[in-house]
Amino acid sequence: MKTRYWSIGTMLIAIALGAFLVLRIKDTIDEETRIKESETLIIKKLMLIRDAEKAYQAVYGKYTNNWDTLINFIEYGQFPILKRTERIIELAYGADSSVVEIDTLEIIPVREYIFIKNHDVYAASDGTFGEYFVAPGQYVIKGSKIYSMTNIITGKKVNQVAKESGRVHDIRAKSNRDVLTKGELLFIMTEELYDPNTDVTQLPYIPFTDPPKKFDIYAERIERNRLVVNVIEVRDIASIDPQRSEENEANSKKPLRFGSRTEVTTAGNWE
């Protein structure tokens, strides 16, 4: 009888221990999933801040460490779309001189410049048109077929694929066997880089912090190799991953950030 009780007791202990280990493993997996999903959102916000700072630097020649200034720039600023043309002029004594001309093609809202990217789709080579595989308003995934054409040199019919993702608009009307010239614009795709409903007033705040904490932002002009350069660093000061710390030697294991206080870079340590 004692042996039977002992066996039953041992079995119950084994079951309890097994259940405990399963729960521990599940908790670990759940925590890793939570950290990964949270950091994905934090990285997305850091990328938006980075794009906003790069746009600000392009317009004003420097970065800003003031959140209100950056938010106001996104909401109400204007961004010039420039075309840079370089001409080579032959001088009288045989040397060449390079002249760079910069023209303003249009001025668009900063928010549009940051949030939306246009991808122009051109004819890949000289040849004849086959057919479109896309329609106005359709969302195209990178790598999917977009049109067919026959190369004028090889005589081979080729299905061209999208190099980027986006929504199709401004399709140029084409019929089968219409002549195509390499570089001819066929249509435009518009890609939303960020959620258009994003509330940029919340841009400074680190997701999942309670009470809300702001990203640490540093922007300065420093001297590097006898040159004055702009540097910026934005970092998460409330890392959700306990394994991330400033003491880690590997930059990829430090709290999420982009840029540097001492180097001219805007790279993120998640890249």
Side-chain angles (χ1 to χ4, degrees), residues 169-184:
H169 61 94
D170 292 342
I171 291 184
R172 274 40 174 183
K174 292 292 178 183
S175 300
N176 183 260
R177 303 194 66 78
D178 278 356
V179 175
L180 289 179
T181 302
K182 182 178 180 180
E184 177 183 348

Side-chain angles (χ1 to χ4, degrees), residues 212-240:
K213 294 181 180 179
K214 292 183 178 181
F215 290 101
D216 179 66
I217 184 170
Y218 175 89
E220 193 56 81
R221 293 172 67 84
I222 65 171
E223 186 175 328
R224 294 285 294 174
N225 300 322
R226 297 183 180 180
L227 293 175
V228 177
V229 296
N230 296 300
V231 295
I232 184 169
E233 181 190 74
V234 178
R235 64 188 179 95
D236 176 5
I237 60 169
S239 180
I240 199 168

Side-chain angles (χ1 to χ4, degrees), residues 66-121:
N66 185 291
W67 287 115
D68 290 338
T69 298
L70 187 63
I71 291 168
N72 186 71
F73 174 69
I74 298 171
E75 291 283 52
Y76 307 110
Q78 300 291 308
F79 193 92
I81 304 300
L82 306 177
K83 180 182 179 181
R84 185 178 183 274
T85 305
E86 184 174 1
R87 293 188 296 113
I88 304 298
I89 300 176
E90 186 174 339
L91 302 178
Y93 48 86
D96 291 334
S97 176
S98 176
V99 177
V100 177
E101 297 177 348
I102 299 178
D103 298 318
T104 301
L105 300 180
E106 61 178 321
I107 297 177
I108 63 174
V110 167
R111 188 174 182 118
E112 178 182 333
Y113 174 78
I114 295 172
F115 280 67
I116 299 173
K117 185 175 184 180
N118 286 333
H119 303 294
D120 295 337
V121 177

Side-chain angles (χ1 to χ4, degrees), residues 3-241:
T3 302
R4 183 181 178 186
Y5 287 152
W6 173 259
S7 299
I8 293 173
T10 302
M11 181 178 66
L12 291 175
I13 292 172
I15 292 173
L17 181 59
F20 173 76
L21 292 175
V22 168
L23 289 174
R24 284 291 299 273
I25 294 172
K26 182 179 182 302
D27 288 344
T28 299
I29 294 174
D30 289 346
E31 179 64 10
E32 290 176 350
T33 301
R34 185 181 73 88
I35 290 173
K36 184 176 180 180
E37 292 176 348
S38 300
E39 289 197 340
T40 297
L41 294 177
I42 293 170
I43 289 171
K44 193 70 175 178
K45 180 170 275 195
L46 284 171
M47 291 172 66
L48 175 52
I49 294 170
R50 177 170 63 182
D51 285 348
E53 284 283 3
K54 289 168 73 173
Y56 187 92
Q57 196 268 346
V59 173
Y60 295 108
K62 62 180 180 179
Y63 299 112
T64 178
N65 59 8
N66 185 291
W67 287 115
D68 290 338
T69 298
L70 187 63
I71 291 168
N72 186 71
F73 174 69
I74 298 171
E75 291 283 52
Y76 307 110
Q78 300 291 308
F79 193 92
I81 304 300
L82 306 177
K83 180 182 179 181
R84 185 178 183 274
T85 305
E86 184 174 1
R87 293 188 296 113
I88 304 298
I89 300 176
E90 186 174 339
L91 302 178
Y93 48 86
D96 291 334
S97 176
S98 176
V99 177
V100 177
E101 297 177 348
I102 299 178
D103 298 318
T104 301
L105 300 180
E106 61 178 321
I107 297 177
I108 63 174
V110 167
R111 188 174 182 118
E112 178 182 333
Y113 174 78
I114 295 172
F115 280 67
I116 299 173
K117 185 175 184 180
N118 286 333
H119 303 294
D120 295 337
V121 177
Y122 301 101
S125 62
D126 294 337
T128 57
F129 182 77
E131 63 178 315
Y132 282 123
F133 299 119
V134 298
Q138 177 182 347
Y139 189 83
V140 174
I141 303 297
K142 181 180 179 179
S144 59
K145 294 191 301 182
I146 50 177
Y147 72 93
S148 66
M149 65 172 295
T150 300
N151 187 289
I152 195 172
I153 297 177
T154 64
K156 183 178 179 181
K157 183 178 179 179
V158 180
N159 291 330
Q160 300 293 340
V161 299
K163 296 180 180 180
E164 305 289 346
S165 299
R167 196 167 303 281
V168 176
H169 61 94
D170 292 342
I171 291 184
R172 274 40 174 183
K174 292 292 178 183
S175 300
N176 183 260
R177 303 194 66 78
D178 278 356
V179 175
L180 289 179
T181 302
K182 182 178 180 180
E184 177 183 348
L185 180 64
L186 298 179
F187 60 90
I188 300 171
M189 297 195 306
T190 298
E191 179 184 8
E192 291 182 349
L193 301 179
Y194 302 101
D195 182 353
N197 298 315
T198 298
D199 181 2
V200 296
T201 64
Q202 298 302 305
L203 201 59
Y205 299 100
I206 303 169
F208 313 109
T209 54
D210 186 18
K213 294 181 180 179
K214 292 183 178 181
F215 290 101
D216 179 66
I217 184 170
Y218 175 89
E220 193 56 81
R221 293 172 67 84
I222 65 171
E223 186 175 328
R224 294 285 294 174
N225 300 322
R226 297 183 180 180
L227 293 175
V228 177
V229 296
N230 296 300
V231 295
I232 184 169
E233 181 190 74
V234 178
R235 64 188 179 95
D236 176 5
I237 60 169
S239 180
I240 199 168
D241 186 350

